[in-house]
Amino acid sequence: MTNSDKKVDPITRAVISHRLDTVVVEMGEAMLRTSYSQILNASRDFSIAIIDTQARLVAQADHIPVHIGALPTAVRAVEERFKDNVSKGDVLLLNDPYHGGSHLPDLTAFVPIFGENERRFWAVVRAHMGDIGGATHGAYNPSATEIWQEGLRIPPIKICEAGQMREDLLEMLALNVRFPRDFRGDLSAMVGAARFGAARVADLLAEYGETDVLTAIDEALDSAELRARHIVSEWADGTYFGEAFLDDDGTERQDLAIRAKVTVSGDNVEVDLSATDAQSERFVNSSIGNTQAAIAMAFAYLIDADIPKNDGAFRPLSVILAPGTLVCPHTSAPVTLSTSHPSNEVVEAIIRALSLACPKRAMGGWGRRFRISITGDNPRNGRRFVWHLFHARPGGGGSSAGDGWSSGGEWHSVGGIKFGSIEVTEARFPLLFERHEFRPGSGGDGQYRGGLGSNLDLRLEVPVTAHTAGDGARHGSAGINGGVDGMPHHYEIDQNGKRQTLRTKSFGNQFSAGSLLRLQSSGGGGWGDPAKRSTDARDRDRLMEMVPLEADHLELDK
């Protein structure tokens, strides 16, 4: 509860809360405008938060949910490692999944924020690096059998002490990645954004006084908790079960199950994932921080959108995990795919379970991630490049509020990750977009249908090496409450007149200049009985070409 018996008047509390919200938005803008790599300055694969020294999430920007939900775990790791050995001007860094991180590509920077006499908060920036070393460009290594094959591991360290950058550490880090210029530039952007946020919060503490700011934050967290508990109290008590499946783990092992047992009791929700399948030898395992984030995401999607998603909102939630499972692997297991998969499947299993407790709040499944990373030599500047596919986004799920968003993305990002400008991409990389449009019929049918995926034809102008890392070619997005599953992905490479289906997890593909990637991404799951879809809605679907003629359907997906 609150730091003292003093209360802050509602107007002051609202002003302080909105100031904090503004700070994280401004930090995000600073990051967007100063980062070097396409994955950050175009696709926005980064997240921002203010977190207190108790690892309570105070404010976040609307970026990537799977990042945000894991950041309290990262702060706890930093606090445990450094305790009181933190000074003004310090900058801390980590990425290791077994020391507070989610997966190795996600680097996290922390700048401390001091009050009158002691440290009170952290300004935190998490950003996905275009490369983090290891056996493959871009870090997604489907053949990895241990985490050391995935990239450079960074436990909590000080990259800057009392305002002085540790150039020896910076040099060591940059030496271990393939694109040191982008790495240094992106890390500088992260540090700059975090310092900017720390200065803004320090100004807030000075303006309103430390006691009033801390009290206002405590009251805001308590308010979010009360609102979340009120919603949960309206759900039907009981124990519910849901499951979701990964296509495979890159080996012969298929249909890996995430199993959720969810118990609603009064205003509390307990999520038990202990019946999930055993951990994999490959990169589809999920670190504890990442699993906690996926569970928090599922809960956040079921409560009101206007409830601040801070520490208070998640207090009704408790979690049970079993060591040695996909969602709680033993130390050293590879985990790089985890922020996409099994994150999506954790959310889907929980939503399936709770669709019986709160059917109008549950929504159809969002599409799964099918990533391709490409590297080659760029003839325009004579440098090697790496490009991560963020186009061809899948569709979002339908809900009781209406049809799903077309090309909205996946559960773990819900629109937070963008596909960058096609024109800018073509200018920066030897790639040509010949088609990028909605994929008719890909959304699952229902009273409210799933959003559409995409059709993308991408011409490769130079020889490249490509890795794939994703899921969803066997299992489409879940239909909920009688809705139909969305259509799965189908990716092909057309090379020298021969078409070959791309596996979701493959390493070292060699594509020749002139090859054409033909990508058809998944649609979202439908919500509700298709028989209840209105005639007007079906007429509009046909008019807007959301559903194809049967002949077109066969041609698109043959």
Side-chain angles (χ1 to χ4, degrees):
M1 298 296 287
T2 53
N3 284 280
S4 69
D5 293 333
K6 179 181 178 180
K7 299 292 183 182
V8 175
D9 69 87
I11 293 176
T12 300
R13 185 177 73 190
V15 169
I16 291 172
S17 293
H18 282 91
R19 281 277 294 273
L20 289 167
D21 290 341
T22 300
V23 168
V24 290
V25 170
E26 290 180 329
M27 290 170 66
E29 285 299 308
M31 185 69 194
L32 181 66
R33 295 169 187 270
T34 58
S35 52
Y36 276 40
S37 60
Q38 157 259 343
I39 200 170
L40 301 180
N41 60 32
S43 297
R44 307 183 183 217
D45 197 350
F46 61 82
S47 295
I48 307 291
I50 302 297
I51 300 177
D52 71 10
T53 55
Q54 302 171 60
R56 300 186 307 174
L57 179 62
V58 171
Q60 60 157 307
D62 290 333
H63 290 136
I64 315 299
V66 77
H67 284 172
I68 296 295
L71 290 182
T73 301
V75 167
R76 280 190 286 270
V78 166
E79 290 286 347
E80 181 179 343
R81 167 65 179 83
F82 287 99
K83 299 181 174 61
D84 293 330
N85 185 24
V86 178
S87 304
K88 291 182 179 180
D90 287 354
V91 180
L92 281 64
L93 202 66
L94 67 78
N95 78 337
D96 189 70
Y98 299 102
H99 294 86
S102 291
H103 69 168
L104 295 181
D106 284 343
L107 202 62
T108 309
F110 310 77
V111 170
I113 305 169
F114 285 80
E116 297 168 3
N117 300 307
E118 60 185 295
R119 184 165 45 83
R120 292 295 189 179
F121 303 101
W122 294 97
V124 186
V125 178
R126 174 163 288 184
H128 187 117
M129 297 290 104
D131 186 82
I132 200 68
T136 69
H137 68 269
Y140 288 86
N141 182 2
S143 64
T145 57
E146 55 184 7
I147 193 169
W148 293 279
Q149 297 167 339
E150 296 189 295
L152 179 65
R153 298 179 68 178
I154 307 170
I157 62 172
K158 285 187 183 180
I159 192 68
C160 182
E161 289 187 288
Q164 295 296 313
M165 291 297 292
R166 289 283 308 276
E167 291 297 332
D168 54 345
L169 282 179
L170 183 58
E171 181 67 24
M172 185 274 291
L173 297 175
L175 188 63
N176 278 276
V177 301
R178 291 172 176 81
F179 304 95
R181 173 184 174 274
D182 285 358
F183 179 87
R184 285 175 173 269
D186 291 339
L187 179 57
S188 293
M190 293 172 66
V191 172
R195 284 174 168 166
F196 175 87
R200 282 283 200 263
V201 176
D203 290 344
L204 181 66
L205 291 169
E207 182 177 347
Y208 282 90
E210 187 172 331
T211 299
D212 279 2
V213 171
L214 297 179
T215 302
I217 288 172
D218 279 340
E219 291 178 0
L221 301 186
D222 292 344
S223 174
E225 177 185 4
L226 289 173
R227 294 182 64 189
R229 289 192 181 280
H230 175 72
I231 289 170
V232 173
S233 70
E234 296 178 335
W235 299 353
D237 282 0
T239 298
Y240 307 94
F241 298 87
E243 59 183 8
F245 296 91
L246 285 83
D247 291 351
D248 58 71
D249 66 354
T251 69
E252 298 301 315
R253 185 180 175 189
Q254 293 185 333
D255 300 331
L256 288 74
I258 306 295
R259 298 186 180 93
K261 181 175 79 171
V262 186
T263 300
V264 178
S265 178
D267 58 4
N268 291 289
V269 178
E270 178 187 84
V271 175
D272 183 350
L273 300 182
S274 57
T276 290
D277 279 354
Q279 71 182 68
S280 170
E281 297 177 353
R282 299 298 173 87
F283 67 166
V284 299
N285 303 294
S286 176
S287 62
I288 290 177
N290 186 73
T291 298
Q292 294 278 5
I295 294 168
M297 283 191 293
F299 184 71
Y301 299 157
L302 294 172
I303 61 177
D304 290 352
D306 65 345
I307 295 178
K309 304 307 183 293
N310 56 33
D311 177 82
F314 299 108
R315 290 174 186 167
L317 192 60
S318 60
V319 175
I320 299 174
L321 304 175
T325 59
L326 287 166
V327 294
C328 187
H330 297 302
T331 301
S332 81
V335 298
T336 297
L337 193 60
S338 66
T339 53
S340 299
H341 304 287
S343 286
N344 258 40
E345 290 71 27
V346 170
V347 175
E348 189 169 289
I350 294 170
I351 299 292
R352 281 183 184 272
L354 287 174
S355 66
L356 300 173
C358 53
K360 290 188 176 181
R361 288 183 175 271
M363 68 291 294
W366 283 54
R368 305 186 182 196
R369 185 84 167 93
F370 194 160
R371 173 190 297 269
I372 301 177
S373 59
I374 295 171
T375 188
D377 294 323
N378 191 341
R380 300 171 192 176
N381 56 23
R383 295 201 300 260
R384 186 182 178 188
F385 74 94
V386 61
W387 183 77
H388 296 269
L389 171 72
F390 283 98
H391 299 74
R393 307 301 288 182
S399 70
S400 61
D403 294 343
W405 292 343
S406 292
S407 200
E410 309 85 3
W411 279 121
H412 69 275
S413 61
V414 291
I417 293 179
K418 317 294 184 184
F419 59 77
S421 161
I422 286 174
E423 291 77 14
V424 171
T425 301
E426 289 178 335
R428 293 176 65 180
F429 302 98
L431 305 168
L432 177 64
F433 289 78
E434 297 188 355
R435 177 171 70 152
H436 194 213
E437 59 192 29
F438 291 146
R439 181 187 181 190
S442 54
D445 199 4
Q447 182 177 352
Y448 299 106
R449 61 163 175 75
L452 303 187
S454 306
N455 286 319
L456 170 62
D457 290 349
L458 180 64
R459 185 75 63 181
L460 307 174
E461 297 181 340
V462 297
V464 301
T465 299
H467 307 322
T468 65
D471 209 78
R474 281 170 54 82
H475 297 284
S477 312
I480 293 291
N481 295 332
V484 177
D485 289 356
M487 192 179 292
H489 298 298
H490 182 71
Y491 282 23
E492 292 182 340
I493 181 71
D494 188 336
Q495 191 167 202
N496 301 320
K498 296 181 180 179
R499 288 192 185 188
Q500 179 182 352
T501 298
L502 295 179
R503 294 182 292 118
T504 54
K505 305 167 187 71
S506 62
F507 174 76
N509 302 285
Q510 301 298 317
F511 300 149
S512 59
S515 296
L516 184 67
L517 285 167
R518 299 178 183 272
L519 312 181
Q520 298 175 326
S521 66
S522 172
W527 185 94
D529 184 354
K532 295 182 179 179
R533 187 163 180 79
S534 71
T535 301
D536 287 346
R538 295 207 178 276
D539 288 343
R540 182 178 180 277
D541 286 343
R542 287 189 288 270
L543 179 65
M544 300 296 291
E545 299 182 359
M546 298 293 188
V547 292
L549 298 173
E550 184 64 23
D552 294 333
H553 179 84
L554 293 174
E555 174 62 27
L556 277 167
D557 299 290
K558 67 183 180 181

